[in-house]
Amino acid sequence: MGRKADKNRKIYNGMIKTRFYQYMGPKPPRRSREEATQEKLAEKTGKY
């Protein structure tokens, strides 16, 4: 209340119009390209 929603959606449930408001939190930190590559390799080999 008091904060504007980040995303608004109009959803219809049968003939009933419903509004869906989304309030997003802070974004998670971005991973470096190296970390993402190492994680994909670990998933392929089954090692974590």
Side-chain angles (χ1 to χ4, degrees), residues 37-48:
T37 305
Q38 289 175 355
E39 190 173 298
K40 285 182 183 179
L41 266 174
E43 287 176 5
K44 285 182 180 179
T45 59
K47 298 178 184 177
Y48 288 96

Side-chain angles (χ1 to χ4, degrees), residues 10-40:
K10 292 178 206 162
I11 301 172
Y12 290 89
N13 183 6
M15 293 298 291
I16 302 169
K17 182 178 178 180
T18 308
R19 293 187 181 265
F20 176 58
Y21 300 100
Q22 290 180 302
Y23 296 90
M24 307 294 181
K27 289 186 176 182
R30 293 193 68 172
R31 296 185 315 214
S32 69
R33 191 175 284 265
E34 290 175 6
E35 288 177 7
T37 305
Q38 289 175 355
E39 190 173 298
K40 285 182 183 179

